Amino acid sequence: MSETPANPVPVHDDLKWKKVLVAIAAILFFATMVSIGFIEMWRLKPREKSALAYTPADSASCVECHQRLTPGIVSDWMLSRHSEKGVGCMSCHQAESNEPDAYEHYGSVVATVVSPSDCNKCHAQIGHEFQISHHSKAAQFIGSLDNFLGEFIEGRQAAVSGCMQCHGSAVSVTKVFADNTEFTQDTGQLLERTKTALSQAGAQGLEAKVRELTSGAAGLGQRLLAAKALPSDKAVLQVMNAQDYASDTQREDNAKRIFYGLLLAKGQELARADLKQAGAEGKLAKKVKFDSDGWPNTGIGRINPDLSNGSCTACHSRHKFQVSMAREPESCGKCHLGPDHPQYEVYNESKHGIAFRANRERMNLEAHPWVVGKDYNVAPTCATCHMGASRGQPSTHDVGKRISWTLRPAISEKLEHWEAKRSAMQEVCSTCHAKQQVDNFYRQYDGVVTLYNEKFAKPGRDIINALARTGAITPSPAQMAVPGVAEAVKMLGEKGLNPNPFDDEVEWTWYLLWHHEGRRARHGASMMAPDYTQWHGMFEVAHRFYFELVPQTRKLLEERVHEGRITEAQRAEVLKVIDGVLARTDHAWLKGLSPDQKREQMKFYKDRYNQ
Amino acid sequence: MAFLRERVPLQIEVFEQLAKEPIPVHMKRWWYALGGTPLICFCILLATGICLTFYYIPEPKQAYRSVQYITERVYFGWYIRSMHKWAGNLMIIAVLLHLFRVFFTGAYRRPRELNWMVGCGLLFTILGFGFTGYALVFDQLSYWAAQVGTGLAAKTPLVGEFFRRFMLGGEVVGEGTLARFFVFHVGVWPSVFSALLGIHIFLFRGLGIADLGAKTLSPGEARDHDAMLKSGRYFPFFPNHAMTELVVALAILIVLTELSIVFPAQLGPPADPLNTPAHIQPEWYFFFQFQLLKMFPEHLALGLQLVMVVIMVFWPFIDGWMLRRWNRAWLSPCFGMAGLAVFLGLTVKEALHGYVLFHDWWPKLTGSLL
């Protein structure tokens, strides 16, 4: 054991020498750590300048403070593409002192409500598409039966927390100034006043705006200024002529854009006049108070304090502005669901919805661009068909651009330029389906809508109109144009009865037939949901028609004759309508089964159930 | 020390004795520190991995963004991620070098056959770490590497399809896959690795480090540490060898830091299931297998790999049998050289084939230097 190694190892074994090596390595390691520190400092230089990474300088203090106060907002924004691109708080919230909801906030002038006008500064094309869409006008439903139901039959708060959260509210706001004086803008009322002003004086006083809106359409500006009244985009369209824009659709789109531009300009003019009259022009508010009926609200047609229509956050959510969220069917399902318009449920039942759920991770929902057939193939969402880019067309925020039928009213109608709209939709379908399949699908869909229209909706409407004409029911204001109804209303008025669309049971029955069940059937057919088309749809329509609408009408007529409100002749007039309807061949089943039908049914139950 | 003696019911002398383990004098050569290098890398990987886990979200929609967030926004996130990446690569290199050194010095021979097999297990676990970790980034290349890797696993006879589904957690690379890969990367592999490493250390401490040129102790034969140290052919583990390992550890930290500065971990475009990248390539340590798959039909390539793995794991016994039969000690190094040549040859071939490799490195190098 004491022998020396046979093959001595030619290395230094001095522990002292190793300690020196350790010291040198430690110093070098420390130096590399210092260099890493410097690199990190250099990397974060912009962050130091503006408090946080990717925060533009003008928004640094907002982020710093709101990170403590409302961290959710800041964290959402940090995850957004806006933060990646350097779009900060002030890019959207910065305001001018005269804006209806502007106030001083730690040295800056800001507005809480970010309206589409703010978004349009960067997303002009999308903003334009949205403004001409049906979505943007969703809040302007005051005259509708739905609004009457929500606001008056159910009650205001049901409308505020229900209807308006989808349709949108009018956001009224009160400015509180340093001297504690206040100025309130009733936004809904301002909108009505603006419309009245445009319908009375046209575009008078809005010359600069007219020039801006009509650039490229020679002569249109003069014609608009000469028009005495411009109460709607349809009035603007009437002023236009065939040369103004390349096509009918372009002309219509531009009529909407021009009317909207004039409305905003006129509204702002009136709002400024109100401020001036109240002695508040140029005064900077120290805070603002929102009417709780109108705010918070992310309804898609919200009427904002600047009178712009809509709320981008309805689909994109606030601060994260997630494009993928807007592309998810759930996003549309916030409003498009339920007994009266179950598009979300219909989609879920369809093969499209099933394919989506099975392949959600292959949908590439964050992609930009997001072209069906290129960036994803596995399934369409609502956004794919109604808005998405395809191989043949760009994306659009005008959700009605590809819809050919309106399934909303009691009797469905094809929309203006429905052929173009349908062919746009068919182009999207063609990404995955051959022409014959698409054509035949549309034949099936048209078939259901026509069946509903002809067999139940038009007869139902004729019965209800006949009741209104005879005065057996107090009619809905929408029926006033029906011949004979005006006289009936007058006669009822003499008896102290006013028009009322919901005070008779038969009117509720009719409403449920078309507004709930009829729509369910039509929506089911439009998006390939068999159960909604049949059991939740046409089956319910048929039951409601044969066993509620018709019997209730007959019973009501008897009661009204008994009360002396209508005569026997008037009762006979309504019964004639009913009899006329039921005598048609499509209602012939009421007379009983034909021998062939009877034989078929007996055979079926015997074969299948031995009964 | 008195404080500990009173409170810890263990004989401190035992630890002192263990720390003074006699180390053969040949261990003073620097390349004999390779065995400790993977352990140092493992410690770095563990520390950086824990930091990364604070932010990483193993969910398809969030995975890529969380890696992006780590790289771009978290303080020192880029550095931690780069260290993790380079420590992983260095660990594989060190383990391979350690393996070749053990092989060519014959240190796997009796009574260390089992320790060689445990070492092979450690190598496969590390490759498992690499495969699962690479996929977690969820960028295009890592997504498709996972897709190809799991696809290949499916070709294994009998259990392939089950194995593929087990790894994917579904039909395609998605939520299930990421969750499973994540669990394996941060839970299963570290546990397996720690267990194997424990056995590896236990065995080599128990059997002693292979003493080149000295007689091998028969099982149960007592090791007289004092006599061994006095012989001049051994030196104590602490502080002499521990100091060497400390220098190596610091050197590794410096090298990894420099690599992280010059070649920070990159992030490709997000995973896109609909768009297959032009060049799909696994990490370099799978180049060998990848080339085999390109050269032979899938089943043959997989069969070859399986045979190679079996030969590698059981080599100490095969070598023993050859020695007994032919008594030609040079046979083993010859096989080793042949195996090494095939491994390096195929790895270099794939690297050269992956033109991207050079195409990609040069701008990165010049870009980061400028």
Side-chain angles (χ1 to χ4, degrees), chain B residues 147-162:
Chain B
Q147 191 80 276
V148 172
T150 49
L152 289 174
K155 308 287 178 194
T156 313
L158 300 174
V159 291
E161 193 50 35
F162 164 78

Side-chain angles (χ1 to χ4, degrees), chain A residues 1-5 7 9-13 15 17-19 21-22 25-26 28-29 32-33 35-37 39-40 43-44 47 53-54 78-81 83-84 328 360-362 364-366 374-377, chain B residues 25-26 28-30 60-62 65 68-69 71-79 171-175 227-228 230-233 235 239-241 243-244 246-247 250-251 253-254 257-258 261 271-274:
Chain A
M1 281 293 184
S2 57
E3 76 230 67
T4 49
N7 182 20
V9 180
V11 289
H12 298 279
D13 60 349
L15 200 57
W17 185 79
K18 277 189 182 169
K19 282 178 183 169
L21 260 184
V22 168
L28 279 173
F29 178 62
T32 53
M33 286 295 102
S35 66
I36 288 288
I39 289 170
E40 188 69 358
R43 198 176 72 91
L44 299 179
R47 185 188 300 201
Y54 303 93
M78 294 280 263
L79 285 171
S80 73
R81 286 190 74 190
S83 76
E84 282 172 15
E328 294 264 2
R360 188 186 282 254
E361 72 276 14
R362 293 178 175 176
N364 214 3
L365 288 166
E366 290 281 356
K374 227 164 128 190
D375 301 302
Y376 65 106
N377 290 297
Chain B
V25 78
H26 72 265
K28 287 187 177 177
R29 290 195 171 95
W30 286 97
K61 276 187 187 168
Q62 299 290 332
R65 292 208 80 174
Q68 197 175 33
Y69 185 79
T71 314
E72 294 174 6
R73 299 197 185 185
V74 174
Y75 287 106
F76 296 102
W78 65 274
Y79 173 62
E171 284 303 319
V172 291
V173 176
E175 277 172 30
M228 288 167 87
K230 276 179 196 161
S231 72
R233 298 184 67 251
F235 67 103
N240 301 48
H241 191 69
M243 205 66 92
T244 309
L246 183 61
V247 174
L250 285 167
L253 281 168
I254 294 165
T257 302
E258 295 306 326
I261 294 171
D272 180 356
L274 299 166

Side-chain angles (χ1 to χ4, degrees), chain A residues 182-183 193 269-282:
Chain A
E182 293 187 354
F183 172 79
R193 279 168 52 214
E269 185 187 300
L270 293 179
R272 269 197 304 277
D274 291 346
L275 271 174
K276 198 172 177 183
Q277 198 181 5
E281 196 183 25

Side-chain angles (χ1 to χ4, degrees), chain A residues 375-583:
Chain A
D375 301 302
Y376 65 106
N377 290 297
V378 288
T381 68
C382 318
T384 304
C385 301
H386 293 283
M387 303 170 73
S390 65
R391 294 165 304 166
Q393 55 192 318
S395 69
T396 176
H397 273 63
D398 180 358
V399 285
K401 265 281 190 264
R402 300 168 191 170
I403 293 177
S404 44
W405 279 106
T406 169
L407 306 179
R408 190 182 302 265
I411 296 159
S412 278
E413 284 171 6
K414 282 188 172 143
L415 292 162
E416 271 187 302
H417 311 300
W418 68 272
E419 295 95 337
K421 290 172 176 172
R422 178 167 289 189
S423 89
M425 183 64 94
Q426 286 175 328
E427 192 275 324
V428 181
C429 306
S430 74
T431 308
C432 303
H433 304 290
K435 188 172 184 313
Q436 183 169 270
Q437 193 170 4
V438 176
D439 289 346
N440 279 5
F441 157 72
Y442 268 100
R443 281 190 196 107
Q444 292 175 356
Y445 170 34
D446 289 349
V448 170
V449 178
T450 308
L451 173 71
Y452 159 80
N453 271 355
E454 300 303 325
K455 189 167 180 178
F456 298 108
K458 286 181 183 171
R461 177 201 59 188
D462 291 346
I463 292 167
I464 288 292
N465 283 348
L467 284 171
R469 201 166 47 238
T470 57
I473 57 170
T474 50
S476 137
Q479 289 174 296
M480 294 298 279
V482 175
V485 170
E487 292 77 16
V489 167
K490 199 174 162 195
M491 180 268 288
L492 288 169
E494 286 164 7
K495 294 178 181 171
L497 295 167
N498 290 320
N500 190 332
F502 285 111
D503 62 338
D504 291 301
E505 192 187 7
V506 74
E507 288 174 308
W508 286 79
T509 300
W510 167 234
Y511 181 75
L512 289 170
L513 187 152
W514 70 264
H515 187 269
H516 283 48
E517 291 130 11
R519 280 193 192 166
R520 290 206 292 264
R522 288 174 280 170
H523 285 142
S526 73
M527 290 196 285
M528 293 154 289
D531 203 51
Y532 274 88
T533 308
Q534 203 257 323
W535 288 117
H536 292 305
M538 291 304 283
F539 169 78
E540 300 270 13
V541 168
H543 181 264
R544 186 81 68 186
F545 183 83
Y546 293 119
F547 295 98
E548 290 188 24
L549 186 75
V550 171
Q552 280 172 13
T553 303
R554 285 184 171 138
K555 191 174 164 216
L556 180 75
L557 289 168
E558 265 181 44
E559 284 170 9
R560 293 289 185 254
V561 171
H562 185 70
E563 288 163 8
R565 190 159 136 185
I566 61 169
T567 62
E568 274 294 346
Q570 284 172 316
R571 181 169 86 122
E573 183 191 332
V574 180
L575 287 177
K576 195 178 161 194
V577 174
I578 295 174
D579 293 342
V581 167
L582 299 183

Side-chain angles (χ1 to χ4, degrees), chain B residues 37-39 41-43 45 86-96 122 126 129 193:
Chain B
T37 308
L39 185 62
C41 289
F42 182 65
C43 293
L45 284 165
W86 283 114
N89 279 287
L90 185 67
M91 187 169 183
I92 292 168
I93 294 170
V95 167
L96 288 174
L122 281 167
I126 292 163
F129 265 119
F193 186 86

Side-chain angles (χ1 to χ4, degrees), chain A residues 333-392:
Chain A
K334 177 201 162 195
C335 297
H336 292 274
L337 83 174
D340 59 334
H341 41 48
Q343 290 99 330
Y344 178 61
E345 293 94 324
V346 161
Y347 170 79
N348 277 339
E349 194 199 332
S350 75
K351 296 300 280 182
H352 285 163
I354 296 163
F356 170 74
R357 288 192 300 280
N359 295 284
R360 188 186 282 254
E361 72 276 14
R362 293 178 175 176
M363 286 296 292
N364 214 3
L365 288 166
E366 290 281 356
H368 181 78
W370 191 58
V371 182
V372 63
K374 227 164 128 190
D375 301 302
Y376 65 106
N377 290 297
V378 288
T381 68
C382 318
T384 304
C385 301
H386 293 283
M387 303 170 73
S390 65
R391 294 165 304 166

Side-chain angles (χ1 to χ4, degrees), chain B residues 54-65:
Chain B
F54 292 155
Y55 296 96
Y56 180 73
I57 306 168
E59 196 271 325
K61 276 187 187 168
Q62 299 290 332
Y64 181 83
R65 292 208 80 174

